[in-house]
């Protein structure tokens, strides 16, 4: 079993790489695991525009901490903080979890990764959006430090980080990553993103029991 970082939540499996759920057809799994090496019969042109993650990515730039500030929306829960100064426009971490093709409306950790057109030679048993397959990453029961990142609303004036789809520089895997914005993130500062106004509204209305994220497929 992989060694988990300090303050890692109990009952959640720590990951170093994505786990693929059975809801994704084998042809799509193959495409995601190595999009660069996929055959032309299963290749999808929209994937070619996804940039390759930097091979010089610096690991261990973050630390998980319990939120002690009483005025913080996630008081008593976890947040992700910079363990060193992070330069602007820098990849911080991958967002890992279970990659799936389901509608997981009860998970606060389900992030939309990509919406792909279905080609005739790709067989899908069932799908809610005709002609497309929606791929998500759910870190509710398995993931890495990125699952602890909070939304900026109620904490800061604006997010200091953002999500970007990338390809792993070695394996070619399509992944979601978290990057710093146009300004550096000081050491000890909480890493904050925007999960969208719809997600925040659901939190305010009490439909989410904790300050996390939930992006429905659109």
């Amino acid at each position: 079993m992989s060694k988990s970082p300090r303050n890692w939540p109990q009952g959640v499996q720590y990951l170093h790489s994505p786990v693929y759920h059975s809801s994704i057809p084998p042809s799509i799994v193959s495409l995601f695991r190595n999009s660069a090496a996929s055959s032309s019969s299963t290749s999808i042109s929209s994937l070619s525009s996804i940039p390759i993650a930097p091979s010089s990515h610096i690991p261990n730039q973050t630390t998980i901490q319990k939120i002690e500030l009483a005025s913080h929306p996630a008081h008593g829960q976890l947040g992700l903080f910079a363990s060193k100064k992070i330069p602007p426009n820098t990849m911080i971490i991958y967002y890992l979890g279970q990659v799936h093709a389901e509608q997981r409306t009860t998970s606060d950790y389900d992030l939309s990764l990509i919406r792909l057109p279905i080609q005739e030679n790709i067989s899908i048993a069932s799908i809610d959006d005709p002609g497309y397959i929606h791929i998500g990453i759910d870190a509710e029961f398995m993931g890495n430090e990125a699952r602890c990142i909070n939304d900026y609303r109620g904490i800061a004036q604006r997010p200091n980080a953002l999500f970007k789809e990338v390809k792993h520089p070695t394996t070619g895997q399509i992944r979601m990553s978290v990057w710093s914005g146009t300004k550096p993130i000081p050491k000890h500062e909480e890493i904050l993103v925007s999960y969208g106004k719809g997600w925040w509204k659901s939190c305010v209305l009490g439909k989410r029991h904790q300050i996390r994220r939930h992006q429905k497929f659109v």
Side-chain angles (χ1 to χ4, degrees):
M1 181 177 293
S2 301
K3 183 179 180 181
S4 56
R6 184 180 180 184
N7 295 326
W8 183 251
Q10 293 184 354
V12 179
Q13 181 182 349
Y14 184 72
L15 299 179
H16 289 283
S17 61
V19 171
Y20 292 88
H21 188 257
S22 59
S23 60
I24 303 180
S27 56
I28 298 293
V29 173
S30 176
L31 188 67
F32 264 71
R33 282 179 172 166
N34 194 343
S35 60
S38 298
S39 64
S40 57
S41 62
T42 59
S43 63
I44 297 177
S45 59
S46 60
L47 301 182
S48 61
S49 61
I50 298 177
I52 299 174
S55 56
S56 57
H57 165 58
I58 303 174
N60 304 321
Q61 300 182 86
T62 62
T63 181
I64 300 172
Q65 296 180 26
K66 183 178 180 179
I67 305 295
E68 303 291 353
L69 184 64
S71 60
H72 195 293
H75 174 243
Q77 300 173 39
L78 299 176
L80 193 66
F81 293 76
S83 59
K84 60 184 71 175
K85 181 180 178 181
I86 301 176
N89 305 308
T90 298
M91 180 174 159
I92 302 171
I93 195 171
Y94 290 111
Y95 187 97
L96 299 180
Q98 187 179 62
V99 183
H100 66 92
E102 298 179 320
Q103 287 278 2
R104 300 188 177 184
T105 58
T106 61
S107 175
D108 292 323
Y109 299 87
D110 192 22
L111 192 69
S112 179
L113 176 57
I114 197 169
R115 179 175 180 259
L116 297 175
I118 300 173
Q119 297 182 348
E120 294 182 359
N121 58 336
I122 298 179
S123 176
I124 304 295
S126 64
I127 191 166
D128 296 328
D129 185 11
Y132 290 88
I133 181 171
H134 297 264
I135 307 297
I137 310 171
D138 189 2
E140 182 174 9
F141 301 111
M142 58 182 70
N144 65 340
E145 293 92 335
R147 76 186 298 279
C148 299
I149 298 176
N150 288 309
D151 187 273
Y152 80 96
R153 294 171 178 83
I155 305 172
Q157 290 185 339
R158 58 184 60 85
N160 56 14
L162 65 156
F163 290 113
K164 288 185 182 182
E165 298 167 359
V166 295
K167 294 176 183 176
H168 191 279
T170 303
T171 65
Q173 286 179 335
I174 299 172
R175 298 187 181 185
M176 185 63 75
S177 60
V178 181
W179 293 62
S180 58
T182 57
K183 297 181 180 180
I185 301 177
K187 183 178 180 180
H188 303 311
E189 183 172 298
E190 185 175 4
I191 297 169
L192 302 168
V193 298
S194 173
Y195 289 111
K197 292 183 179 179
W199 169 86
W200 177 255
K201 183 178 180 181
S202 70
C203 288
V204 173
L205 294 177
K207 296 179 181 178
R208 291 285 173 257
H209 66 278
Q210 53 185 330
I211 305 301
R212 286 290 181 257
R213 81 287 303 142
H214 182 78
Q215 292 188 358
K216 292 184 178 180
F217 295 129
V218 295

